[in-house]
Amino acid sequence: MTPLKLYYYSPCPPYRAVLFAIENLKIDVERISVDLSKDDQMKPEFLKINPQHCLPTIDDDGFIMWESRAILAYLVNSRAPGSSFYPVDPKKRAVIDSRLSFDSTIMNAIGNVISVIYSGETEIPQNKKDKVYALLGHMNTFVEGKKYLAGDDLTIADFAFLSTFATLKVVGANIEKFSNLVKWYKRCESLAGFKENEEGAAALLDYISARTSFKGESWD
């Protein structure tokens, strides 16, 4: 089988979510770096592949798609149909889809905070911090008494939120107050891709710090 082509940029949180699926499904992959710091995503050759110029993007023997959460589902469905990563049971899958959607909401809230950082403000508005923490509080409740976000099986919802949580750590959120999530994150340390996810999150902080005065200070 032709290796999956993966267009990526290490600091990019959505790429790091897909990385977990690739590593844990042991997918043969050809990685193609698209350096956002150099505007590689706007080059004609990449725009021809993905006119929305977002990452990650995959090319699976001519089938091209983007949007990380959709990619996660596709990779399991195409490589390991019926896997516990994304089971066919409609109720189990519905819970996973719900967690994926909620992860997207949290990432949007983080994006609002990062926008403030890029604006040059030295103080994160309280309402933006409260929004992130309120959402994390719900996710903390979801994982209470469970091994993983959607139950006792590792799923693509965990892959997505592992990237989000690593991002939260480096952009200054106080994650220690969410004890269930801290334990969950610790539980995931042995997963293939975990170290690279942490490294990518650190690279994201470097990317932000090179363009702003922010150096990873805590919001609190």
Side-chain angles (χ1 to χ4, degrees), residues 38-64:
K38 298 178 181 177
D39 291 331
D40 284 355
Q41 77 278 16
M42 302 306 295
K43 291 181 177 179
E45 56 267 32
F46 186 68
L47 289 174
K48 185 176 180 180
I49 296 166
N50 179 352
Q52 284 186 260
H53 50 81
C54 56
L55 296 173
T57 296
I58 63 168
D59 178 349
D60 190 14
D61 198 21
F63 176 67
I64 297 170

Side-chain angles (χ1 to χ4, degrees), residues 90-139:
K91 291 181 180 178
K92 290 182 178 180
R93 183 169 285 197
V95 174
I96 295 167
D97 290 342
S98 175
R99 299 293 184 267
L100 287 168
S101 179
F102 198 70
D103 171 67
S104 179
T105 301
I106 295 174
M107 275 304 303
N108 285 337
I110 298 170
N112 289 335
V113 170
I114 293 175
S115 294
V116 173
I117 293 170
Y118 269 99
S119 74
E121 295 290 332
T122 57
E123 183 74 21
I124 306 298
Q126 190 63 46
N127 66 321
K128 295 188 184 300
K129 292 190 289 186
D130 288 346
K131 179 67 172 179
V132 172
Y133 288 145
L135 294 169
L136 285 177
H138 289 306
M139 193 70 95

Side-chain angles (χ1 to χ4, degrees), residues 22-81:
I22 288 172
E23 292 293 325
N24 288 277
L25 288 168
K26 297 179 171 56
I27 296 173
D28 186 18
V29 64
E30 175 189 351
R31 300 193 195 196
I32 303 166
S33 177
V34 180
D35 192 337
L36 300 186
S37 69
K38 298 178 181 177
D39 291 331
D40 284 355
Q41 77 278 16
M42 302 306 295
K43 291 181 177 179
E45 56 267 32
F46 186 68
L47 289 174
K48 185 176 180 180
I49 296 166
N50 179 352
Q52 284 186 260
H53 50 81
C54 56
L55 296 173
T57 296
I58 63 168
D59 178 349
D60 190 14
D61 198 21
F63 176 67
I64 297 170
M65 68 178 301
W66 47 92
E67 296 296 340
S68 61
R69 294 166 189 83
I71 291 173
L72 287 171
Y74 170 75
L75 291 178
V76 177
N77 288 335
S78 62
R79 265 54 179 196

Side-chain angles (χ1 to χ4, degrees), residues 8 29 72 83 89-90 94 102 121 124 145 153 173 176 181 192-194 201:
Y8 78 103
V29 64
L72 287 171
S83 165
D89 180 276
F102 198 70
E121 295 290 332
I124 306 298
D153 290 321
E176 296 303 321
L181 291 177
F194 187 89

Side-chain angles (χ1 to χ4, degrees), residues 9-24:
Y9 185 55
S10 292
C12 180
Y15 154 69
R16 291 186 272 112
V18 171
L19 165 72
F20 277 107
I22 288 172
E23 292 293 325
N24 288 277

